[in-house]
Amino acid sequence: MSTTVTDTHGAHDAHDDHHDHKPTGIKRWLFTTNHKDIGSMYLWFSFAMFLVGGSMALMIRAELFQPGMQIIDPHFFNQMTTMHGVIMVFGAVMPAFVGLANWMIPMMIGAPDMALPRMNNWSFWILPFAFLIMLSSFFMPGGAPAFGWTFYAPLSTTYSTDSTALFVFSMHIMGMSSIMGAINVIVTIMNMRAPGMNYMKMPLFVWTWFITAFLLIAVMPVLAGVVTMVLTDKYFGTSFFDAAGGGDPVLFQHLFWFFGHPEVYIMILPSFGIVSAIIPAFARKPLFGYASMVYATAAIAGLSFLVWAHHMFTTGMPTFASLFFMYMTMLIAVPTGVKVFNWVSTMWRGSMTFETPMLFSLAFVILFTIGGFSGIMLAITPVDYQYHDTYFVVAHFHYVLVTGAVFSIMAAAYYWLPKWSGVMYDDFLSKLHFWCSLVSVNILFFPMHFVGLAGMPRRIPDYAMQFADINQIVSIGGFLFGFSQLIFLAVALKCAFKKGEPAPAKPWEGAEGLEWTVPSPAPYHTFDVPPKV
Amino acid sequence: MSTKKEEYSKYYVPDQSIWPIVGALALGLIAFGAGHFTIEASKQEEGFGHYVLGAGMLVLLIMLVGWFGDQIRESRQGLYNEQLGRSYKQGMSWFIFSEVMFFLAFFGALFYARMIAVPWLGGASNNVATGEILWPAFEAIWPLTTTPDGTTTQAMGWFGLPLMNTAILVVSSVTLHFAHVALEEDKRKALTSWLIVTIVLGLIFLGFQGYEYVHAYRDLGLTMQSGIYGNTFFLLTGFHGLHVTLGAILLIVMLGRVLKGHFTKDDQFGFQAAAWYWHFVDVVWLLLFVFVYII
Ligand code: HEM
Ligand SMILES: [Cu+2]
């Protein structure tokens, strides 16, 4: 169907009636159908959630500053770890990527807007409601969910508090939001490309989001299914996850991780796209191996459906299954390695400069790779018996998610802020933000590897004396990292209020792509008439 | 292509609309209400849950009427071009794909229970000792009519009502196809009649399904609490039934539009979407019939 896309697009001289008038006031945001407005709302929402989830993390780190119970009781501690995870995954990282997709994809492919603009606004506005419901459960008897972001049965069924029902239903509507958002992205990419923008000319950010959207549509419904089974097990007497009725708690884990592993790629593939845009821009060389990047992304996505049980090695799976999942997991390292190789080769002999987006991207390449390495260690079944459910796993996924996903989002924000706001960000503050984040994030997460290898379990409010020193260092890193993010808030606010040097249409010498052909700030409506590519 | 559309070949980007945020409010009320209603019902307490849930449904209904109304109006004003039609079709196809994945989760649970969980509870693989120590009397068979903790039930046969329901749904898919052919050939009478036949068949299916549930609860002792066999049976057929209901509502709306003279050979997205949905629901039933009832 995509072959006929371009010719019907014809640049007719249709009446230019409804353009560049910008609705004003609060209605502009509530009723909008504009991809740029919706993108901004997603980004601000995600940053707010980042701060909310972050304060929960600081509560965790405050309790863990010393062994023994100091500040919060164990049940509240569990609520903190649970809600921290849920909010960061579903409230901060995913919406941030959707926000970037909204802002950038139409501009990158020369489309007038997202394909289904009203549904786009629906997808966004579901999120504040979903998180209000989720957070309201803090005020219920028994408090918020306390079973971990992975809500394993029977913790979430037999042993959970009342708030489970609210958790389930808010997950449902969050899932609807994600599915609708993903459908919008995938249809926009398939159907709205400007004439000449064929698939293999699309920027990698568009490609990676294309594949991410597919993953989302494929696995969010499975999440909906598994939360539904949790609901019926807890409230309606079914026994999907209860051996006494013929079910199996391990079934929960299979279903959850069938969603969960692709989900972690949902949170990293768009990062790959971002970094693939920024590194060539500041190395002033075209991306090395464009086609191989596309194929590697597709390979990662395909394999991500076949590795889920690497989270379950210690459940007592048959040896054959363990081996299968071990080898498939290690196989994913190959396309991931291709990507890292390509980024490094892009920089090789480039004339590099180190503006803030580039700094974050470089940090991404190095630190994400550390997370990839610890992932490969975890994928080795016999050693995972030791590492599983320790702080080593916590270190692993924070390297891929914080220094991976979050750093790439920061890189993207700095890279495109001039385009969004029309002013350059405050260079000094942005560099301060970068260096503070870089140092503190490693103080925060690197020592976790050591306590993990030494046997400190994750998700506990208290620990043995011998882990005290390292935990203290980690907590200090945590607070430093947390407060460093306020610098970013200052930078973003300055841009939002247009305090800064006016930005040219293309502030980065080496940048490429259609988004740089429109003025900064980008007009309310871009590409009403498709550009010639 | 109708001439009206060709003049407006720009992609139609709608102006501001209140419906999306009304829809978000509706889903928020539904989720909040359903959550509290579930909690209250499980404790047999009176609460506010069902009021909020009801309010949410009402808001959702208003939103759907308003939103689709806008859309039908725009479409009939000829604001939509072929490219937008493609967006809708692709959007609908991906939506159906997401529904497929939703059912896959429940089919996955069914296969896992039948092929792994239940046999292992009976001592298969390396679980001999587990079986002997925990539930020595347990026998691993499917349909699982006696659970490890001793709950018993009877299995639902496939002959009779389920078989009839299968026939009904398959025929309804065919009659819907005839309706579509009639639309393509611009035979409005035939279109209306085939559409009505399809809707009636769908409603009969739902009636039979309700009757079957009563039979299961009353005569067979097959309930939501009867262990994994009853669980997979009710959740799979239940979600399927919900989808048939939704499909039937869509078809009824389409019938209303047909009677108002909407849809032509070139302008039939709403009809097509409803038809795709119906065929999809039909295919799910065939899989259900094989894996839940027969095998
Ligand atoms: C080379 C690539 C990777 C490999 C081989 C890998 C492998 C693994 C393994 C084996 C585990 C399970 C550890 C255990 O629980 O014992 C794990 C956990 C995890 N990984 Fe990765 N991983 C990789 C990349 C990623 C990426 C890119 C992300 C996200 C952006 C990610 C996020 C996570 C998360 C969130 C968990 C922990 C989930 C939980 O139990 O709460 N991983 N990884
Ligand atoms: Cu994984």
Side-chain angles (χ1 to χ4, degrees):
Chain A
M1 65 196 89
S2 54
T3 47
T4 58
V5 166
T6 47
D7 45 41
T8 58
H9 223 338
H12 285 220
D13 57 331
H15 354 254
D16 223 291
D17 37 22
H18 63 301
H19 300 114
D20 252 90
H21 71 260
K22 211 185 276 189
T24 49
I26 181 84
K27 280 190 185 162
R28 165 173 172 196
W29 303 101
L30 297 182
F31 305 149
T32 185
T33 49
N34 181 286
H35 71 104
K36 301 185 180 81
D37 284 351
I38 296 172
S40 302
M41 290 195 294
Y42 264 113
L43 289 169
W44 280 111
F45 174 80
S46 121
F47 191 68
M49 285 291 126
F50 183 59
L51 296 183
V52 172
S55 12
M56 293 175 178
L58 293 190
M59 213 109 65
I60 295 170
R61 281 325 314 175
E63 175 57 47
L64 292 176
F65 187 68
Q66 285 179 6
M69 299 306 304
Q70 331 285 335
I71 307 173
I72 52 183
D73 68 90
H75 182 60
F76 190 71
F77 183 91
N78 289 343
Q79 296 175 37
M80 286 293 106
T81 53
T82 305
M83 295 307 276
H84 164 70
V86 169
I87 288 179
M88 287 307 197
V89 169
F90 297 100
V93 174
M94 289 167 70
F97 283 132
V98 184
L100 292 171
N102 257 296
W103 253 104
M104 301 320 298
I105 288 176
M107 288 211 280
M108 287 177 157
I109 61 174
D113 205 295
M114 296 293 276
L116 305 160
R118 279 177 285 218
M119 191 171 85
N120 201 11
N121 199 31
W122 195 18
S123 311
F124 169 73
W125 278 105
I126 289 172
L127 288 180
F129 287 103
F131 280 93
L132 272 180
I133 294 170
M134 188 77 90
L135 290 171
S136 76
S137 59
F138 272 110
F139 304 101
M140 295 176 61
F147 32 62
W149 83 279
T150 51
F151 60 104
Y152 276 17
L155 293 177
S156 56
T157 53
T158 317
Y159 302 107
S160 66
T161 56
D162 273 351
S163 56
T164 311
L166 291 180
F167 172 84
V168 167
F169 285 108
S170 61
M171 283 303 231
H172 272 141
I173 62 174
M174 231 178 266
M176 289 181 201
S177 153
S178 293
I179 291 170
M180 289 193 287
I183 290 178
N184 229 326
V185 168
I186 211 165
V187 174
T188 304
I189 297 173
M190 287 172 72
N191 195 28
M192 306 282 286
R193 281 167 291 120
M197 175 62 75
N198 54 36
Y199 279 107
M200 290 313 267
K201 274 193 196 158
M202 296 193 311
L204 263 171
F205 180 68
V206 181
W207 253 114
T208 51
W209 240 114
F210 188 38
I211 292 170
T212 303
F214 170 77
L215 289 180
L216 276 166
I217 304 173
V219 301
M220 292 310 285
V222 176
L223 176 68
V226 67
V227 292
T228 306
M229 291 179 219
V230 164
L231 185 83
T232 59
D233 263 21
K234 183 166 172 60
Y235 296 100
F236 300 101
T238 62
S239 29
F240 284 104
F241 309 133
D242 181 2
D248 186 349
V250 176
L251 168 61
F252 173 90
Q253 298 185 26
H254 281 294
L255 288 169
F256 178 81
W257 288 114
F258 184 82
F259 147 80
H261 189 82
E263 166 69 17
V264 306
Y265 282 98
I266 288 166
M267 294 188 284
I268 204 68
L269 292 184
S271 305
F272 293 166
I274 292 165
V275 172
S276 304
I278 294 176
I279 289 181
F282 296 99
R284 293 167 180 76
K285 270 178 64 191
L287 183 69
F288 182 88
Y290 171 88
S292 67
M293 284 299 217
V294 172
Y295 298 135
T297 313
I300 292 174
L303 283 172
S304 77
F305 287 104
L306 299 173
V307 301
W308 76 87
H310 65 212
H311 297 272
M312 303 166 54
F313 288 140
T314 58
T315 54
M317 279 186 294
T319 314
F320 173 78
S322 287
L323 287 177
F324 172 81
F325 286 110
M326 170 167 108
Y327 288 126
M328 290 318 268
T329 305
M330 292 186 166
L331 211 55
I332 287 204
V334 177
T336 315
V338 168
K339 292 193 166 274
V340 175
F341 179 84
N342 286 351
W343 292 321
V344 175
S345 307
T346 306
M347 288 184 268
W348 178 251
R349 299 208 164 154
S351 49
M352 302 225 282
T353 49
F354 300 94
E355 285 84 349
T356 313
M358 183 63 162
L359 291 174
F360 272 102
S361 301
L362 289 173
F364 170 94
V365 174
I366 295 163
L367 300 178
F368 170 76
T369 306
I370 293 180
F373 284 142
S374 57
I376 298 185
M377 292 172 71
L378 290 167
I380 304 168
T381 310
V383 300
D384 184 63
Y385 275 65
Q386 184 192 337
Y387 303 158
H388 179 63
D389 263 348
T390 68
Y391 259 83
F392 190 79
V393 178
V394 179
H396 158 67
F397 67 71
H398 283 95
Y399 265 88
V400 285
L401 282 171
V402 179
T403 59
V406 174
F407 268 35
S408 79
I409 293 166
M410 295 296 176
Y414 285 115
Y415 187 55
W416 285 307
L417 258 175
K419 180 59 59 191
W420 300 337
S421 68
V423 296
M424 297 304 287
Y425 54 78
D426 185 316
D427 193 52
F428 170 75
L429 284 183
S430 73
K431 294 241 158 77
L432 187 69
H433 174 219
F434 171 73
W435 288 108
C436 287
S437 299
L438 180 72
V439 173
S440 60
V441 87
N442 285 294
I443 302 176
L444 166 58
F445 294 124
F446 206 79
M448 285 184 182
H449 290 110
F450 308 137
V451 272
L453 292 179
M456 178 170 158
R458 64 190 280 208
R459 292 173 171 158
I460 44 138
D462 186 11
Y463 49 86
M465 279 304 284
Q466 74 262 30
F467 304 129
D469 290 355
I470 287 188
N471 270 289
Q472 229 156 57
I473 297 171
V474 166
S475 285
I476 293 170
F479 277 88
L480 289 177
F481 182 74
F483 285 102
S484 306
Q485 302 320 304
L486 297 179
I487 308 173
F488 179 71
L489 180 62
V491 177
L493 283 174
K494 276 186 78 172
C495 284
F497 290 103
K498 316 271 181 216
K499 298 269 181 333
E501 299 270 309
K506 185 172 154 213
W508 317 119
E509 187 192 14
E512 277 187 49
L514 288 177
E515 75 263 38
W516 307 111
T517 62
V518 301
S520 301
Y524 200 56
H525 293 282
T526 35
F527 301 128
D528 280 339
V529 176
K532 286 257 157 22
V533 182
Chain B
M1 282 244 37
S2 75
T3 44
K4 216 169 184 190
K5 280 191 231 148
E6 265 166 2
E7 306 163 3
Y8 204 99
S9 79
K10 246 169 48 166
Y11 196 83
Y12 177 70
V13 178
D15 271 331
Q16 293 213 315
S17 165
I18 75 163
W19 302 121
I21 196 166
V22 173
L25 173 72
L27 290 184
L29 290 173
I30 289 175
F32 190 70
H36 279 278
F37 180 51
T38 309
I39 296 164
E40 288 150 7
S42 74
K43 297 188 188 161
Q44 308 194 328
E45 277 171 9
E46 264 298 305
F48 58 85
H50 52 295
Y51 296 116
V52 181
L53 179 60
M57 300 279 207
L58 194 71
V59 178
L60 187 70
L61 194 71
I62 296 171
M63 175 282 247
L64 288 174
V65 172
W67 190 330
F68 285 127
D70 278 357
Q71 231 156 348
I72 293 168
R73 206 164 314 118
E74 290 159 6
S75 153
R76 302 200 47 84
Q77 281 167 6
L79 294 173
Y80 291 2
N81 62 6
E82 202 190 325
Q83 192 188 9
L84 189 82
R86 259 196 318 269
S87 285
Y88 284 160
K89 280 182 205 155
Q90 290 175 359
M92 188 67 194
S93 321
W94 287 109
F95 169 66
I96 289 178
F97 172 60
S98 80
E99 294 270 41
V100 170
M101 295 306 292
F102 181 74
F103 276 101
L104 197 76
F106 291 92
F107 275 110
L110 174 69
F111 294 142
Y112 185 88
R114 292 181 58 162
M115 281 153 43
I116 297 178
V118 170
W120 283 5
L121 285 169
S125 183
N126 57 355
N127 301 288
V128 182
T130 321
E132 280 307 311
I133 293 165
L134 282 177
W135 291 294
F138 176 67
E139 218 190 314
I141 45 161
W142 194 269
L144 185 70
T145 43
T146 309
T147 64
D149 68 0
T151 313
T152 57
T153 175
Q154 277 173 285
M156 178 68 73
W158 62 271
F159 205 69
L161 211 59
L163 183 63
M164 213 141 76
N165 255 349
T166 309
I168 290 173
L169 265 200
V170 171
V171 171
S172 80
S173 245
V174 176
T175 55
L176 186 59
H177 177 69
F178 287 161
H180 188 227
V181 173
L183 173 61
E184 293 276 312
E185 292 171 358
D186 201 25
K187 295 183 181 147
R188 305 296 293 190
K189 269 245 178 64
L191 166 62
T192 318
S193 338
W194 285 122
L195 199 50
I196 292 175
V197 173
T198 311
I199 293 169
V200 170
L201 287 172
L203 296 179
I204 295 177
F205 173 91
L206 284 173
F208 280 174
Q209 190 74 11
Y211 179 79
E212 186 185 86
Y213 280 6
V214 175
H215 171 60
Y217 262 78
R218 230 195 255 143
D219 310 330
L220 302 181
L222 178 61
T223 70
M224 279 279 268
Q225 287 85 33
S226 317
I228 194 72
Y229 170 65
N231 302 161
T232 47
F233 174 81
F234 279 111
L235 263 77
L236 274 164
T237 55
F239 275 115
H240 177 264
L242 273 179
H243 283 76
V244 177
T245 313
L246 193 69
I249 294 174
L250 284 178
L251 289 181
I252 291 171
V253 173
M254 294 313 139
L255 179 64
R257 291 188 61 187
V258 166
L259 291 176
K260 278 173 85 179
H262 293 191
F263 301 127
T264 62
K265 190 167 174 303
D266 305 308
D267 168 24
Q268 44 163 285
F269 167 72
F271 183 88
Q272 241 176 356
W276 286 349
Y277 197 75
W278 193 257
H279 294 313
F280 150 73
V281 167
D282 202 20
V283 172
V284 173
W285 175 261
L286 290 178
L287 292 174
L288 262 173
F289 186 60
V290 173
F291 291 114
V292 176
Y293 289 90
I294 300 187
I295 303 182

